[in-house]
Amino acid sequence: MRKSTFNYIKDILGDYPRIEEYIKQREEELRYPHRESDLNAGIKGSRQDYDVQDRLMITIEQDQRLAALERNKRVVSTILDECCEDTKMIIQELYMRRMPKYTIQGLITNGLIFVGRTKAFELRDWFFLQVAKELHLTI
C-alpha cells in the first residue's frame, strides 16, 4: 500500500471518534453561514430572490465535505463491525485513541490481543486494505 494512502486512512481513523461532532458542526455551518454585517443595510434595503430553506437543502445535499465525512463514518463503522476483536483492539488502540498507551508489541505483551506480532500486522494491513477498497483509493 502506498504510504500516502496509509497516512490518509490513518488520519480518517484518528478523526473517527469525533466524526459525529464534525458532521454536526458542518451542518451548522451550512444552516447558519457567517455573514459580514453591512453598515449600509438600512440604506440599500433587503431583497431575497429565493427561499432560504430551499437554498439550505440544496447546499446540505451538495456539500462535498459533509458527504465525505458521512462516507468515511459509514465505511469505517461497517468494516469495524465485520472484523475480529483483535483487529478492533489494534485499530482502536493505535489509531483512534488520542494518546495511545501501547504499540502492537505492547498489546501482545499485555494480553490485550491474542495473536503473534506477524499476524497482528497482517490484521492491521487487512483493515487498512478494506478501507482503501471501500473508499476507492489507490493501493
Side-chain angles (χ1 to χ4, degrees), residues 4-47:
S4 60
T5 303
F6 184 87
N7 288 333
Y8 179 70
I9 295 171
K10 193 170 149 182
D11 289 341
I12 290 172
L13 294 174
D15 289 340
Y16 183 76
R18 294 173 299 285
I19 202 157
E20 283 291 333
E21 178 184 323
Y22 295 152
I23 290 172
K24 189 179 292 185
Q25 182 181 20
R26 183 62 183 159
E27 286 176 349
E28 290 296 316
E29 288 173 4
L30 293 171
R31 280 194 176 92
Y32 310 107
H34 175 72
R35 292 198 172 100
E36 294 290 327
S37 60
D38 188 3
L39 297 174
N40 297 321
I43 297 169
K44 290 193 266 183
S46 63
R47 184 179 140 215

Side-chain angles (χ1 to χ4, degrees), residues 19-130:
I19 202 157
E20 283 291 333
E21 178 184 323
Y22 295 152
I23 290 172
K24 189 179 292 185
Q25 182 181 20
R26 183 62 183 159
E27 286 176 349
E28 290 296 316
E29 288 173 4
L30 293 171
R31 280 194 176 92
Y32 310 107
H34 175 72
R35 292 198 172 100
E36 294 290 327
S37 60
D38 188 3
L39 297 174
N40 297 321
I43 297 169
K44 290 193 266 183
S46 63
R47 184 179 140 215
Q48 293 183 340
D49 293 333
Y50 47 91
D51 190 24
V52 175
Q53 205 60 7
D54 290 340
R55 184 178 58 202
L56 171 69
M57 296 314 282
I58 292 169
T59 305
I60 287 178
E61 300 228 349
Q62 293 177 343
D63 187 60
Q64 292 179 356
R65 195 165 109 199
L66 184 60
L69 287 169
E70 290 172 344
R71 181 194 64 195
N72 292 347
K73 176 187 171 196
R74 185 185 75 254
V75 166
V76 172
S77 63
T78 301
I79 297 172
L80 275 174
D81 289 343
E82 293 173 359
C83 66
C84 67
E85 292 302 316
D86 289 336
T87 306
K88 285 180 191 176
M89 178 58 78
I90 292 168
I91 298 303
Q92 289 172 347
E93 176 61 35
L94 298 179
Y95 302 105
M96 290 185 183
R97 284 186 67 139
R98 189 178 294 267
M99 297 175 68
K101 292 181 185 177
Y102 303 105
T103 61
I104 286 187
Q105 186 60 48
L107 291 172
I108 296 165
T109 304
N110 292 308
L112 296 172
I113 59 174
F114 303 103
V115 294
R117 183 176 169 83
T118 304
K119 183 64 176 176
F121 279 105
E122 287 174 4
L123 291 174
R124 180 201 64 182
D125 293 343
W126 175 85
F127 185 88
F128 274 71
L129 188 63
Q130 295 306 311

